C-alpha cells in the first residue's frame, strides 16, 4: 500500500515539453508526477507561444530562466547545468513525439511520452534501440493501466483461474464526437487532422488503450494476423476513421475483437476488456474501475473490489486507501509515474534484476501500439482483408 513515504531517497529532476495552460492533458501529468514526491518540476517548454509558456511555467513555480522557447533549447540549456533535468514528459501533438523523444534520449534524458510514440514501426524500432543504447527508459502514458485491478486480472490469468484463453473482447467507444465538434473545438480539431495524428484517429487515439490493457492481462499471447474495417461517419474526417472494427487471431488459437468509436451516441466512455477462458471470464470497465467481474462457469458472478485483502499483492501494492473508497484516473496515473520513477532509478543503477520483474508501460509497449495501428490501416486500406501481423 502507498502511504506517502517517498519510494526513492530523492526526487528526480523533471521537465515538460508541452502540457501548458491550454493543454487537455498537462495537468494530470503534473499531478501524477508530483504526487508521491518522486519528481520535482524544474524546467519546461510549455507552449508553442513563448510568452504564454513562460508565464504559465512561472505560475507553476518554475524559474523564468528555465521556461524555454522550445524543446531543443530546453535540452541544450539543461544539459549545461550541473543540476539540470534528468527526465522529461512529452505532452504535445502526436506528430512531434518521435523527434522530441529522439532528441531527449540523445540528450541523456529519461522520457515519459504520450502515445503514440511515432507513426511507423520503423521509427518505433529506432526509439527502442536508442533507448537501449543510451540506457534511458521511455515510459508511455497508457494511463488506464495504472488501475490496480488490471494487475489483479493479470495475476489471476497467470495463476490459471481462467484456463486456456479463448476470446479477448476489447472496446473503447464513446459518443462525444458523433457530430463534427472539431469545427468549434481547437483541442479536438488537431486530433482529426492527418498532419498531426498520422494515419488514424480512433484506432490510435482510443483502441491502443484497451489493446494495452489486454496485453498486460495476457502478456503471453501474440497476434498472428488481423482484419480491420474502418469508417468515417462524419465525412469531413476522411481519410481518418471515427469508427473501426478489428478481428484478431492469436498464436494459441484464441480470437479477439476490437470496437473503437467516437460516434457511439450516448456512451460516456465505453472502454471494456473481457478475457474469456475455458473455465471462467474476467471483465473490467473503466467507468467502474474499482471493480473486476469474475465469472466462473456454473457459479454466481463475483465482483472483486479494489483495496480488499483477498486481492493479489501486486494489485494491493498500488493501493492508496482502503477498500470502499473509490479511486480514479488521477490515482492510476500517479501509480504509473511512481513506477516510471522506480524504473528510471533502477536503469541508472544498472539494476537488471529489479527491471527483469518490474512492470510498467515501456518503450516496447509503445512500439507495439504503433505496429498494431500500422497493421490495422494496412488491412483497412486493402479492403478489410486479413493481413499477417508484422
Amino acid at each position: 500500500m502507498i502511504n506517502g513515504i517517498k519510494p526513492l531517497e530523492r526526487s528526480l529532476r523533471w521537465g515538460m515539453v508541452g502540457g501548458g495552460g491550454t493543454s487537455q492533458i498537462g495537468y494530470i501529468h503534473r499531478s501524477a508526477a508530483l504526487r508521491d514526491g518522486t519528481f520535482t518540476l524544474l524546467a519546461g517548454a510549455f507552449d508553442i507561444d513563448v510568452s504564454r509558456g513562460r508565464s504559465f511555467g512561472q505560475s507553476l513555480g518554475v524559474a523564468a530562466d528555465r521556461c524555454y522557447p522550445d524543446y531543443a533549447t530546453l535540452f541544450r540549456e539543461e544539459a549545461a547545468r550541473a543540476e539540470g533535468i534528468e527526465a522529461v514528459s512529452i505532452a504535445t501533438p502526436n506528430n512531434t513525439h518521435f523527434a522530441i523523444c529522439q532528441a531527449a534520449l540523445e540528450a541523456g534524458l529519461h522520457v515519459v511520452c504520450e502515445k503514440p510514440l511515432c507513426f511507423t514501426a520503423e521509427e518505433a524500432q529506432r526509439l527502442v534501440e536508442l533507448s537501449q543504447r543510451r540506457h534511458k527508459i521511455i515510459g508511455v502514458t497508457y494511463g488506464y493501466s495504472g488501475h490496480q485491478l488490471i494487475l489483479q486480472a493479470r495475476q489471476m490469468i497467470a495463476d490459471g483461474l481462467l484456463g486456456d484463453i479463448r476470446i479477448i473482447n476489447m472496446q473503447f467507444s464513446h459518443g462525444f464526437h458523433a457530430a463534427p465538434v472539431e469545427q468549434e473545438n481547437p483541442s479536438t480539431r488537431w486530433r482529426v487532422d492527418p498532419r498531426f495524428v498520422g494515419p488514424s484517429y480512433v484506432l490510435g487515439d482510443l483502441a491502443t488503450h484497451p489493446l494495452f490493457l489486454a496485453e498486460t492481462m495476457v502478456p503471453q499471447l501474440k497476434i498472428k494476423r488481423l482484419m480491420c474495417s474502418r469508417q468515417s461517419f462524419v465525412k469531413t474526417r476522411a481519410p481518418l476513421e471515427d469508427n473501426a472494427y478489428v478481428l484478431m487471431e492469436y498464436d494459441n488459437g484464441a480470437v479477439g475483437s476490437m470496437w473503437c468509436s467516437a460516434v457511439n451516441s450516448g456512451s460516456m466512455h465505453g472502454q471494456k476488456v473481457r478475457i474469456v477462458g475455458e473455465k471462467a471470464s474476467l471483465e473490467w470497465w473503466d467507468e467502474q474501475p474499482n471493480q473486476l467481474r469474475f465469472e466462473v462457469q456454473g457459479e454466481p458472478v463475483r465482483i472483486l473490489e479494489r483495496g480488499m485483502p483477498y486481492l493479489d499483492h501486486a494489485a494491493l501494492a498500488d493501493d492508496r486507501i482502503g477498500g470502499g473508497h473509490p479511486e480514479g484516473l488521477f490515482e492510476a496515473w500517479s501509480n504509473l509515474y511512481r513506477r516510471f520513477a522506480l524504473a528510471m532509478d533502477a536503469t541508472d543503477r544498472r539494476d537488471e534484476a529489479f527491471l527483469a520483474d518490474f512492470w510498467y508501460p515501456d518503450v516496447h509497449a509503445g512500439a507495439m501500439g504503433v505496429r498494431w495501428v500500422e497493421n490495422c490501416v494496412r488491412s483497412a486500406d486493402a479492403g478489410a482483408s486479413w493481413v499477417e501481423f508484422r
Side-chain angles (χ1 to χ4, degrees):
M1 180 173 180
I2 296 171
N3 58 9
I5 296 174
K6 291 173 66 171
L8 301 176
E9 292 183 356
R10 65 179 184 86
S11 298
L12 299 175
R13 301 185 300 276
W14 176 58
M16 290 192 74
V17 179
T22 61
S23 168
Q24 283 189 323
I25 205 71
Y27 174 61
I28 196 169
H29 275 278
R30 289 185 294 276
S31 175
L34 301 175
R35 187 169 197 167
D36 294 329
T38 47
F39 295 90
T40 300
L41 181 61
L42 296 176
F46 298 102
D47 200 305
I48 196 170
D49 183 305
V50 176
S51 176
R52 187 170 62 189
R54 182 180 296 110
S55 176
F56 180 74
Q58 289 180 265
S59 73
L60 297 176
V62 177
D65 65 341
R66 300 182 80 171
C67 297
Y68 299 100
D70 53 65
Y71 72 86
T73 306
L74 165 66
F75 298 160
R76 183 181 66 250
E77 294 297 320
E78 286 297 308
R81 289 177 175 264
E83 294 293 313
I85 61 171
E86 304 164 88
V88 66
S89 291
I90 300 168
T92 56
N94 298 0
N95 63 320
T96 66
H97 291 175
F98 174 73
I100 301 174
C101 275
Q102 181 173 250
L105 292 171
E106 292 286 9
L109 298 173
H110 294 290
V111 178
V112 175
C113 188
E114 283 289 320
K115 52 87 188 155
L117 292 179
C118 49
F119 290 157
T120 69
E122 180 183 357
E123 289 178 336
Q125 184 58 33
R126 286 164 61 185
L127 291 178
V128 170
E129 293 171 358
L130 183 57
S131 173
Q132 294 170 339
R133 190 163 63 249
R134 301 294 292 189
H135 297 288
K136 299 297 176 183
I137 78 156
I138 298 178
V140 184
T141 49
Y142 285 120
Y144 305 99
S145 65
H147 286 291
Q148 298 149 48
L149 290 173
I150 303 305
L151 293 184
Q152 174 68 23
R154 176 190 177 99
Q155 191 59 51
M156 292 172 70
I157 293 168
D159 289 342
L161 296 183
L162 274 63
D164 290 338
I165 303 304
R166 294 173 170 174
I167 301 166
I168 303 177
N169 284 339
M170 298 159 279
Q171 71 175 63
F172 196 157
S173 51
H174 67 71
F176 287 99
H177 297 169
V181 295
E182 60 270 20
Q183 295 178 5
E184 305 296 332
N185 188 339
S187 66
T188 302
R189 191 174 304 140
W190 69 264
R191 296 179 184 275
V192 296
D193 187 334
R195 294 173 299 173
F196 294 98
V197 299
S200 77
Y201 168 33
V202 294
L203 285 165
D205 193 46
L206 302 181
T208 51
H209 282 294
L211 180 74
F212 179 66
L213 295 181
E215 290 169 358
T216 299
M217 293 177 183
V218 197
Q220 69 272 24
L221 296 194
K222 307 301 178 186
I223 300 171
K224 287 181 57 179
R225 63 177 192 149
L226 59 75
M227 178 178 67
C228 175
S229 172
R230 60 177 182 164
Q231 299 78 37
S232 307
F233 284 110
V234 177
K235 299 305 181 184
T236 53
R237 292 174 184 154
L240 299 186
E241 79 289 340
D242 50 23
N243 189 83
Y245 296 94
V246 185
L247 297 179
M248 288 161 280
E249 294 179 351
Y250 294 90
D251 57 356
N252 75 327
V255 295
S257 66
M258 172 76 75
W259 174 34
C260 57
S261 181
V263 296
N264 183 17
S265 300
S267 173
M268 287 297 294
H269 228 216
Q271 182 178 198
K272 294 182 179 181
V273 176
R274 183 175 179 85
I275 312 293
V276 180
E278 61 178 325
K279 297 187 292 187
S281 301
L282 288 170
E283 182 172 296
W284 183 83
W285 179 21
D286 81 349
E287 292 179 42
Q288 297 176 0
N290 295 279
Q291 289 82 40
L292 178 68
R293 290 179 65 94
F294 180 38
E295 303 173 10
V296 180
Q297 181 60 34
E299 298 181 9
V301 172
R302 302 167 202 177
I303 306 297
L304 307 185
E305 294 279 352
R306 183 208 60 75
M308 295 301 290
Y310 52 71
L311 299 180
D312 186 79
H313 68 88
L316 292 173
D318 287 337
D319 183 38
R320 292 176 179 272
I321 193 169
H325 303 280
E327 291 186 0
L329 193 60
F330 276 72
E331 286 78 19
W333 274 65
S334 297
N335 293 339
L336 290 188
Y337 259 95
R338 186 184 181 93
R339 288 177 175 271
F340 294 152
L342 291 169
M344 292 173 187
D345 175 70
T347 300
D348 287 342
R349 293 186 289 102
R350 301 291 203 274
D351 190 344
E352 298 299 330
F354 175 86
L355 292 168
D357 295 323
F358 187 67
W359 172 88
Y360 68 97
D362 62 7
V363 65
H364 299 287
M368 173 59 184
V370 173
R371 288 174 58 209
W372 186 82
V373 171
E374 192 173 76
N375 279 274
C376 287
V377 171
R378 184 163 61 92
S379 168
D381 289 353
S385 63
W386 283 97
V387 297
E388 297 299 312
F389 192 82
R390 64 188 189 197

